[in-house]
Amino acid sequence: MTALKTITVSLAVLGLVACGSPETGNPANTTENSEASSIPERVIQKDDKFTYANYDKVQMTHLDLNLDVDFDRKVLDGMATIDFKKIDKNAKELVLDTKDLTIESVQIHEGGKWKDATYALAEDDEIMGQALTILLLDKADKVRIDYETSPEAEGLQWLTPEQTAGKKHPYLFSQAQAINARTMTPIQDTPAIRITYTATLRTPPELLALMSANQDPNTPRDGEYSFEMPQPIPPYLLAIAAGDIQFKAINDHIGVYAEQYILDASAEEFSETPQMEVENERLYGPYRWGRYDMIVLPPSFPYGGMENPRLSFLTPTLVAGDKSLTNVVAHELAHSWSGNLVTNSSWRDAWLNEGFTSYVENRVMEALYGPERAIMEQALDMEGLKRGLAEAKRPELTHLKMPEDMKHPDEAFTSVSYIKGANFLFFLEDRFGREHFDPFLKKYFDENAFKAVTTEDFIKYLHDELHSKFPDKLTRAELDAWVYGPGLPDTARTPKSNAFEKVSEIQSGWLAGDMAAKDIDTSNWSTHEWLHFINTLPDGISKGKLAEMDEAFNLTGTQNAETAFAWYMQAIKGDYQVVSNDLREFLMTVGRGKFIYRLYGALKAHGQGEWANSVYAKAKAGYHPIAQRRIDDILKD
Ligand code: BES
Ligand code: ZN
């Protein structure tokens, strides 16, 4: 094997070493050639600045992973074999993304033989990682890379047995979105491309390994697991979980995986997933991924859910006992259309994934539970959006199309992409009417299936398929205000929930001193009504009022994580320190970013930075690397 140093030098001399920042300009506009591949053809315009990959010239088409899941060393160790095709027949190199990977060797396949490849690993960038540039040979069709991950890989969380509920076995789970697939394997880590994949994982024999791919729930537990994902997916949907995981079926093609302690409760909580699938299919066409399973992860999972294909990853905080938080399941399932089937071409277009999905989620919730619940969820979201807009660091971050100069794709995943995005679609729905808008969206998902789409592609599609037929329903200025303008356009729908209005009336009465908290009849309140009541408490509410509420309603220590979070936010703002022990317990056991980022931020903003730091010092080791990075940032001076 040739020494790496030498290669780096020779490539640098050739001017081929990718350097610190990725190229952005020079759209290639070349159409891919027609080699045998199931992946749809499209004009490639390199508009993702968060990848080093030269995907406008050469594209991966398939990934095969053969990995040991080594819990002792906290690494994945083995081989990644990559099939690729040239888009530009003069392409001389294949550029892959890597981050915190140790590359042991690279070989290239040409004329039926594997040969040592000439390659170079560029300098490390804190966000982007390192470009791996491999010189291509004329007729080469594959490369294979012997590598291992780092115990610090941001996309992998390794839990010790003590950190699991069962306490006996270790646990591993991945989180590739947005740009952490590159911490799991060398890959072209951009949502603009698609790959199929196969994998073999070796774990200790007591454990079960799962991936975002086909899996037989009855596979023998022998420590060797094989997977195949025949539908092409964007790389951020690559996912792994391994642990002492059990399975429970919900129907013949939907089920839930979890540690034993929460398995039955999860199957019960998510028992309406089959109806969600039925409604989703009725509205937007067939589910195209085979099985739909869910895995309830340990509480350090930093998201509510992650739409890994065939296997949504979920936080255990959804298992509230009353199905009140299942909109997250509707959301992750909805990504099977918006996001997984039709994918944002770059993270600047994240609203095409998350806004569409939040919209579809709400339509499915409405179909299943009726308009009142759907409107309550819209109203709660709208409260969140207004707060998000007020807190936005700069106006460009409130456009649906995110600015070119984002520092990290995470900046695109705010209430703007989700809720402003969804509200843009509510607006279009209202203008064109469901009778036209529903078939339009169904057709959009079908005609763009397994493709990447930009905001501009969507606007063109909207124009061609709908707007041109009803030109007087919408002006270009109205549309631009939503997509390229700041804040919430005044054409936005105002969700009006009767249930919430009643709650607000009661709240006003109580605040005015007309009645005592203990005399409020809350027996029929849903979690949503509680959230509305708590979230809309006025700024500057007195400690006495908070204490009165707490005594009447037992809010401190509540088991519903959403309610607890809403309450602790108010307690922090109102300096109601009675919650301290329960809040500490919450921060020590829940790693869901949506809650803990804002709780730490509020503690810091309200003079409790020191206490926040002391809790974080103890909680940090249990948090996911993604959450650690974010909270380090929030708490830094
Ligand atoms: N795809 C997201 C999670 C995500 C976002 C991962 C950004 C990495 C980067 C997922 O579909 C999601 O949106 N989850 C939400 C739930 C939803 C109901 C708003 C969450 O985690 O809270
Ligand atoms: Zn989502």
Side-chain angles (χ1 to χ4, degrees), residues 57-118:
K57 302 199 170 62
V58 187
Q59 272 183 31
M60 289 178 66
T61 55
H62 182 79
L63 171 67
D64 176 71
L65 291 172
N66 192 320
L67 300 172
D68 289 330
V69 181
D70 184 339
F71 282 96
D72 295 328
R73 296 173 53 238
K74 302 191 171 176
V75 300
L76 300 174
D77 179 6
M79 183 85 84
T81 305
I82 289 170
D83 296 12
F84 59 85
K85 63 180 176 194
K86 288 185 180 177
I87 308 282
D88 172 353
K89 60 182 187 319
N90 299 316
K92 295 285 185 290
E93 60 190 38
L94 167 67
V95 186
L96 303 173
D97 294 294
T98 75
K99 192 174 180 188
D100 296 330
L101 300 182
T102 304
I103 306 297
E104 259 123 44
S105 71
V106 181
Q107 296 191 312
I108 186 160
H109 190 255
E110 191 194 39
K113 283 201 199 83
W114 287 104
K115 308 168 185 174
D116 287 344
T118 305

Coordinates of all heavy atoms in Angstrom, one line a residue, residues 57-118:
K57 N -20.4 15.8 -11.4 CA -19.5 15.1 -12.4 C -19.5 13.6 -12.2 O -19.5 12.9 -13.2 CB -18.1 15.7 -12.2 CG -18.0 17.2 -12.4 CD -16.6 17.6 -12.7 CE -16.6 19.1 -13.1 NZ -17.1 20.0 -12.1
V58 N -19.5 13.2 -11.0 CA -19.6 11.7 -10.7 C -20.5 11.5 -9.6 O -20.6 12.3 -8.6 CB -18.2 11.2 -10.2 CG1 -18.2 9.7 -10.1 CG2 -17.1 11.7 -11.1
Q59 N -21.4 10.5 -9.7 CA -22.3 10.2 -8.6 C -22.3 8.8 -8.1 O -22.3 7.8 -8.9 CB -23.7 10.5 -9.1 CG -24.1 11.9 -8.9 CD -25.6 12.2 -9.3 OE1 -26.4 11.3 -9.2 NE2 -25.8 13.4 -9.8
M60 N -22.3 8.6 -6.8 CA -22.5 7.3 -6.2 C -23.8 6.8 -6.6 O -24.8 7.6 -6.7 CB -22.5 7.4 -4.7 CG -21.3 7.7 -4.0 SD -21.6 7.9 -2.2 CE -22.1 6.2 -1.8
T61 N -24.0 5.5 -6.8 CA -25.3 5.0 -7.1 C -25.7 3.9 -6.1 O -26.8 3.6 -5.8 CB -25.4 4.3 -8.5 OG1 -24.3 3.4 -8.6 CG2 -25.2 5.4 -9.6
H62 N -24.6 3.3 -5.5 CA -24.9 2.2 -4.5 C -23.8 2.2 -3.5 O -22.6 2.4 -3.8 CB -25.0 0.8 -5.2 CG -25.3 -0.3 -4.3 ND1 -26.6 -0.6 -3.9 CD2 -24.5 -1.2 -3.7 CE1 -26.6 -1.6 -3.1 NE2 -25.3 -2.0 -2.9
L63 N -24.2 1.9 -2.2 CA -23.2 1.7 -1.1 C -23.4 0.3 -0.5 O -24.5 -0.1 -0.3 CB -23.6 2.8 -0.1 CG -22.8 2.7 1.3 CD1 -21.3 3.0 1.1 CD2 -23.4 3.7 2.3
D64 N -22.3 -0.4 -0.4 CA -22.4 -1.6 0.4 C -21.5 -1.5 1.6 O -20.3 -1.1 1.5 CB -21.9 -2.8 -0.5 CG -21.9 -4.1 0.4 OD1 -22.9 -4.6 0.7 OD2 -20.8 -4.5 0.8
L65 N -22.1 -1.7 2.8 CA -21.3 -1.6 4.0 C -21.1 -3.0 4.6 O -22.1 -3.8 4.6 CB -22.1 -0.7 5.0 CG -22.2 0.7 4.7 CD1 -23.2 1.4 5.7 CD2 -20.8 1.4 4.7
N66 N -19.9 -3.2 5.1 CA -19.6 -4.5 5.8 C -18.9 -4.1 7.0 O -17.7 -3.8 7.0 CB -18.8 -5.4 4.8 CG -18.7 -6.8 5.4 OD1 -18.6 -7.0 6.6 ND2 -18.8 -7.7 4.5
L67 N -19.6 -4.1 8.2 CA -19.1 -3.4 9.4 C -19.2 -4.2 10.6 O -20.2 -4.9 10.9 CB -19.8 -2.1 9.6 CG -19.7 -1.0 8.5 CD1 -20.7 0.1 8.8 CD2 -18.3 -0.5 8.3
D68 N -18.1 -4.2 11.4 CA -18.2 -4.6 12.8 C -18.7 -3.5 13.7 O -18.2 -2.4 13.6 CB -16.9 -5.1 13.3 CG -16.4 -6.4 12.7 OD1 -17.3 -7.2 12.3 OD2 -15.2 -6.5 12.5
V69 N -19.7 -3.8 14.5 CA -20.2 -2.8 15.4 C -19.5 -3.1 16.8 O -19.8 -4.0 17.5 CB -21.7 -2.9 15.6 CG1 -22.2 -1.8 16.6 CG2 -22.5 -2.7 14.3
D70 N -18.4 -2.3 17.0 CA -17.5 -2.6 18.1 C -17.8 -1.7 19.3 O -17.4 -0.6 19.4 CB -16.1 -2.4 17.6 CG -15.0 -2.8 18.6 OD1 -15.4 -2.8 19.8 OD2 -13.9 -3.0 18.2
F71 N -18.6 -2.3 20.2 CA -19.0 -1.5 21.4 C -17.8 -1.2 22.4 O -17.9 -0.3 23.1 CB -20.1 -2.2 22.1 CG -21.5 -2.1 21.5 CD1 -21.9 -3.1 20.6 CD2 -22.2 -1.0 21.7 CE1 -23.2 -2.9 20.0 CE2 -23.5 -0.8 21.1 CZ -23.9 -1.8 20.2
D72 N -16.8 -2.1 22.4 CA -15.7 -1.8 23.3 C -15.0 -0.6 22.8 O -14.6 0.2 23.7 CB -14.7 -3.0 23.3 CG -15.4 -4.3 23.9 OD1 -16.3 -4.1 24.8 OD2 -15.1 -5.4 23.4
R73 N -14.7 -0.5 21.6 CA -14.0 0.7 21.1 C -14.9 1.8 20.6 O -14.4 2.9 20.2 CB -13.0 0.3 19.9 CG -11.9 -0.7 20.5 CD -11.1 -1.3 19.3 NE -10.5 -0.3 18.5 CZ -10.8 -0.2 17.2 NH1 -11.5 -1.1 16.5 NH2 -10.2 0.8 16.5
K74 N -16.2 1.6 20.6 CA -17.2 2.6 20.1 C -16.9 3.0 18.7 O -16.8 4.3 18.4 CB -17.2 3.8 21.1 CG -17.6 3.3 22.5 CD -18.0 4.5 23.4 CE -18.6 3.9 24.7 NZ -18.9 4.9 25.7
V75 N -16.6 2.1 17.8 CA -16.4 2.4 16.4 C -17.1 1.4 15.5 O -17.4 0.3 15.9 CB -14.9 2.4 16.0 CG1 -14.1 3.4 16.9 CG2 -14.3 1.0 16.2
L76 N -17.5 1.8 14.3 CA -17.9 1.0 13.3 C -16.6 0.7 12.5 O -15.9 1.7 12.1 CB -18.9 1.6 12.4 CG -20.2 2.0 13.0 CD1 -21.1 2.8 12.0 CD2 -21.0 0.8 13.5
D77 N -16.3 -0.5 12.1 CA -15.0 -0.8 11.5 C -15.2 -1.8 10.4 O -15.8 -2.8 10.6 CB -14.1 -1.5 12.6 CG -12.8 -1.8 12.1 OD1 -12.5 -1.5 10.9 OD2 -12.0 -2.5 12.9
G78 N -14.8 -1.4 9.2 CA -15.0 -2.4 8.1 C -14.8 -1.7 6.7 O -14.0 -0.8 6.6
M79 N -15.6 -2.1 5.8 CA -15.4 -1.7 4.4 C -16.7 -1.1 3.8 O -17.8 -1.6 4.0 CB -15.1 -3.0 3.7 CG -14.8 -2.8 2.2 SD -13.1 -2.4 2.0 CE -12.4 -4.1 2.0
A80 N -16.5 0.0 3.1 CA -17.6 0.6 2.3 C -17.2 0.4 0.8 O -16.1 0.8 0.4 CB -17.7 2.1 2.7
T81 N -18.1 -0.2 0.1 CA -17.9 -0.3 -1.3 C -18.9 0.5 -2.1 O -20.1 0.5 -1.8 CB -18.0 -1.8 -1.8 OG1 -17.1 -2.6 -1.0 CG2 -17.7 -2.0 -3.2
I82 N -18.4 1.4 -3.0 CA -19.2 2.4 -3.6 C -19.3 2.2 -5.1 O -18.2 2.2 -5.7 CB -18.6 3.8 -3.2 CG1 -18.9 4.1 -1.8 CG2 -19.2 4.9 -4.1 CD1 -18.2 5.3 -1.2
D83 N -20.5 2.0 -5.6 CA -20.6 2.0 -7.1 C -20.9 3.5 -7.5 O -21.6 4.2 -6.8 CB -21.9 1.2 -7.5 CG -21.7 -0.3 -7.2 OD1 -20.8 -0.6 -6.4 OD2 -22.6 -1.0 -7.6
F84 N -20.4 3.8 -8.6 CA -20.6 5.2 -9.1 C -20.8 5.2 -10.6 O -20.5 4.3 -11.3 CB -19.4 6.1 -8.7 CG -18.1 5.7 -9.2 CD1 -17.7 6.1 -10.5 CD2 -17.2 4.9 -8.5 CE1 -16.5 5.7 -11.0 CE2 -16.0 4.5 -9.0 CZ -15.6 4.9 -10.2
K85 N -21.3 6.4 -11.1 CA -21.4 6.5 -12.5 C -20.9 8.0 -12.8 O -21.1 8.9 -12.0 CB -22.8 6.3 -13.0 CG -23.8 7.3 -12.4 CD -25.2 7.1 -12.9 CE -26.1 8.1 -12.2 NZ -27.5 7.8 -12.3
K86 N -20.3 8.1 -14.0 CA -19.9 9.4 -14.4 C -21.0 10.2 -15.1 O -21.7 9.7 -15.9 CB -18.7 9.3 -15.4 CG -17.4 8.8 -14.8 CD -16.3 8.8 -15.8 CE -15.0 8.3 -15.2 NZ -13.9 8.2 -16.2
I87 N -21.2 11.4 -14.6 CA -22.1 12.3 -15.3 C -21.4 13.0 -16.4 O -21.9 13.2 -17.5 CB -22.7 13.3 -14.2 CG1 -23.1 12.6 -12.9 CG2 -23.7 14.2 -14.9 CD1 -24.4 12.0 -12.9
D88 N -20.2 13.4 -16.0 CA -19.3 14.1 -17.0 C -18.3 13.1 -17.3 O -17.5 12.6 -16.5 CB -18.7 15.3 -16.2 CG -17.6 15.9 -17.1 OD1 -17.2 15.4 -18.1 OD2 -17.1 17.0 -16.6
K89 N -18.2 12.7 -18.6 CA -17.4 11.5 -19.0 C -15.9 11.9 -18.9 O -15.0 11.0 -18.9 CB -17.7 11.0 -20.4 CG -17.6 11.9 -21.5 CD -18.0 11.2 -22.8 CE -17.8 12.0 -24.1 NZ -18.1 13.4 -24.0
N90 N -15.6 13.1 -18.7 CA -14.2 13.5 -18.5 C -13.8 13.6 -17.1 O -12.7 14.0 -16.8 CB -13.9 14.9 -19.2 CG -14.2 14.8 -20.7 OD1 -13.8 13.9 -21.3 ND2 -14.9 15.8 -21.2
A91 N -14.7 13.2 -16.2 CA -14.4 13.4 -14.7 C -13.1 12.5 -14.4 O -13.0 11.4 -14.9 CB -15.6 12.9 -13.9
K92 N -12.2 13.1 -13.7 CA -11.0 12.4 -13.3 C -10.9 12.0 -11.9 O -10.0 11.3 -11.5 CB -9.8 13.4 -13.6 CG -9.6 13.8 -15.0 CD -9.0 12.7 -15.8 CE -8.7 13.1 -17.3 NZ -9.9 13.3 -18.1
E93 N -11.9 12.4 -11.1 CA -11.8 12.1 -9.7 C -13.2 11.9 -9.1 O -14.2 12.5 -9.6 CB -11.0 13.1 -8.9 CG -11.7 14.5 -9.0 CD -10.8 15.6 -8.5 OE1 -9.6 15.6 -8.7 OE2 -11.3 16.5 -7.9
L94 N -13.3 11.2 -8.0 CA -14.5 11.0 -7.2 C -14.2 11.7 -5.9 O -13.3 11.3 -5.2 CB -14.8 9.5 -7.1 CG -15.9 9.2 -6.0 CD1 -17.2 9.6 -6.5 CD2 -15.9 7.6 -5.8
V95 N -15.0 12.6 -5.6 CA -14.9 13.3 -4.3 C -16.0 12.9 -3.3 O -17.2 13.0 -3.6 CB -14.8 14.9 -4.4 CG1 -14.5 15.5 -3.1 CG2 -13.8 15.3 -5.5
L96 N -15.6 12.4 -2.2 CA -16.5 11.9 -1.1 C -16.4 12.8 0.1 O -15.3 13.4 0.3 CB -16.2 10.5 -0.8 CG -16.2 9.5 -1.9 CD1 -15.8 8.1 -1.4 CD2 -17.6 9.3 -2.5
D97 N -17.4 12.8 0.9 CA -17.4 13.5 2.2 C -17.0 12.4 3.3 O -17.4 11.3 3.2 CB -18.7 14.0 2.6 CG -19.2 15.2 1.7 OD1 -18.5 16.2 1.7 OD2 -20.1 15.0 0.9
T98 N -16.1 12.9 4.2 CA -15.8 12.1 5.4 C -15.8 13.0 6.5 O -15.5 14.2 6.3 CB -14.5 11.3 5.3 OG1 -13.4 12.3 5.5 CG2 -14.3 10.6 3.9
K99 N -16.0 12.5 7.7 CA -15.8 13.4 8.9 C -15.4 12.5 10.1 O -16.1 11.5 10.4 CB -17.0 14.2 9.2 CG -16.8 15.2 10.3 CD -18.0 16.1 10.5 CE -17.7 17.2 11.5 NZ -18.9 17.9 11.9
D100 N -14.3 12.7 10.6 CA -13.8 11.9 11.8 C -13.6 10.4 11.4 O -13.9 9.6 12.2 CB -14.7 12.1 13.0 CG -14.6 13.5 13.5 OD1 -13.6 14.2 13.4 OD2 -15.7 14.0 14.1
L101 N -13.3 10.1 10.2 CA -13.1 8.7 9.8 C -11.6 8.5 9.7 O -10.8 9.4 9.3 CB -13.7 8.4 8.4 CG -15.2 8.6 8.3 CD1 -15.7 8.2 6.9 CD2 -16.0 7.8 9.3
T102 N -11.2 7.3 10.0 CA -9.8 6.9 9.7 C -9.9 6.0 8.5 O -10.5 5.0 8.5 CB -9.3 6.0 10.9 OG1 -9.4 6.8 12.1 CG2 -7.8 5.6 10.7
I103 N -9.2 6.5 7.5 CA -9.2 5.7 6.2 C -8.0 4.8 6.2 O -6.8 5.3 6.3 CB -9.1 6.7 5.0 CG1 -10.2 7.7 5.1 CG2 -9.1 6.0 3.7 CD1 -11.6 7.2 5.0
E104 N -8.2 3.5 6.1 CA -7.1 2.6 6.1 C -6.5 2.3 4.7 O -5.3 2.3 4.5 CB -7.4 1.3 6.8 CG -6.9 1.3 8.3 CD -8.0 1.1 9.3 OE1 -8.9 0.2 9.1 OE2 -8.0 1.8 10.3
S105 N -7.4 2.1 3.8 CA -6.9 1.9 2.4 C -8.1 2.2 1.4 O -9.3 2.2 1.8 CB -6.4 0.5 2.2 OG -7.5 -0.4 2.2
V106 N -7.7 2.5 0.2 CA -8.7 2.7 -0.8 C -8.3 1.9 -2.1 O -7.2 2.0 -2.5 CB -8.8 4.2 -1.2 CG1 -9.9 4.4 -2.3 CG2 -9.1 5.1 0.0
Q107 N -9.2 1.2 -2.6 CA -9.0 0.4 -3.8 C -10.0 0.8 -4.9 O -11.1 1.2 -4.5 CB -9.0 -1.1 -3.5 CG -7.9 -1.5 -2.6 CD -7.8 -3.0 -2.5 OE1 -8.8 -3.7 -2.3 NE2 -6.6 -3.5 -2.7
I108 N -9.6 0.6 -6.1 CA -10.5 1.0 -7.2 C -10.7 -0.3 -8.1 O -9.8 -1.0 -8.3 CB -10.0 2.2 -7.9 CG1 -11.0 2.7 -9.0 CG2 -8.6 1.9 -8.5 CD1 -10.7 4.1 -9.4
H109 N -11.9 -0.4 -8.6 CA -12.3 -1.6 -9.4 C -12.3 -1.2 -10.9 O -13.1 -0.3 -11.3 CB -13.6 -2.1 -8.9 CG -14.0 -3.4 -9.5 ND1 -15.0 -3.6 -10.5 CD2 -13.6 -4.7 -9.2 CE1 -15.1 -4.9 -10.7 NE2 -14.3 -5.5 -9.9
E110 N -11.5 -1.9 -11.6 CA -11.5 -1.6 -13.1 C -11.2 -2.9 -13.8 O -10.3 -3.7 -13.4 CB -10.4 -0.6 -13.4 CG -10.5 -0.1 -14.9 CD -9.3 0.7 -15.4 OE1 -8.2 0.2 -15.1 OE2 -9.5 1.7 -16.1
G111 N -12.0 -3.2 -14.9 CA -11.8 -4.4 -15.7 C -11.8 -5.7 -14.8 O -11.0 -6.6 -15.1
G112 N -12.7 -5.7 -13.9 CA -12.8 -6.9 -13.1 C -11.8 -7.1 -12.0 O -11.8 -8.1 -11.3
K113 N -10.9 -6.1 -11.8 CA -9.8 -6.3 -10.8 C -9.8 -5.1 -9.8 O -10.1 -4.0 -10.2 CB -8.5 -6.3 -11.5 CG -8.1 -7.6 -12.2 CD -6.6 -7.6 -12.4 CE -6.2 -8.7 -13.5 NZ -6.3 -8.1 -14.8
W114 N -9.5 -5.4 -8.6 CA -9.3 -4.4 -7.6 C -7.8 -3.9 -7.6 O -6.9 -4.8 -7.6 CB -9.6 -4.9 -6.2 CG -11.1 -5.0 -6.0 CD1 -11.8 -6.2 -6.0 CD2 -12.0 -3.9 -5.8 NE1 -13.2 -5.9 -5.8 CE2 -13.3 -4.5 -5.6 CE3 -11.9 -2.5 -5.7 CZ2 -14.5 -3.8 -5.4 CZ3 -13.1 -1.8 -5.4 CH2 -14.3 -2.4 -5.3
K115 N -7.6 -2.6 -7.6 CA -6.2 -2.1 -7.6 C -6.1 -1.0 -6.5 O -7.1 -0.4 -6.2 CB -5.9 -1.4 -9.0 CG -6.1 -2.3 -10.1 CD -6.1 -1.6 -11.5 CE -6.5 -2.5 -12.6 NZ -6.6 -1.9 -13.9
D116 N -4.9 -0.8 -6.0 CA -4.7 0.3 -5.1 C -5.0 1.6 -5.8 O -4.6 1.8 -6.9 CB -3.3 0.3 -4.5 CG -3.1 -0.9 -3.6 OD1 -4.1 -1.4 -3.1 OD2 -1.9 -1.2 -3.3
A117 N -5.7 2.4 -5.1 CA -6.1 3.7 -5.7 C -5.2 4.8 -5.2 O -4.6 4.7 -4.1 CB -7.6 4.0 -5.3
T118 N -5.1 5.9 -6.0 CA -4.5 7.1 -5.5 C -5.5 8.0 -4.9 O -6.5 8.3 -5.6 CB -3.8 7.8 -6.7 OG1 -3.0 6.8 -7.4 CG2 -3.0 9.0 -6.3

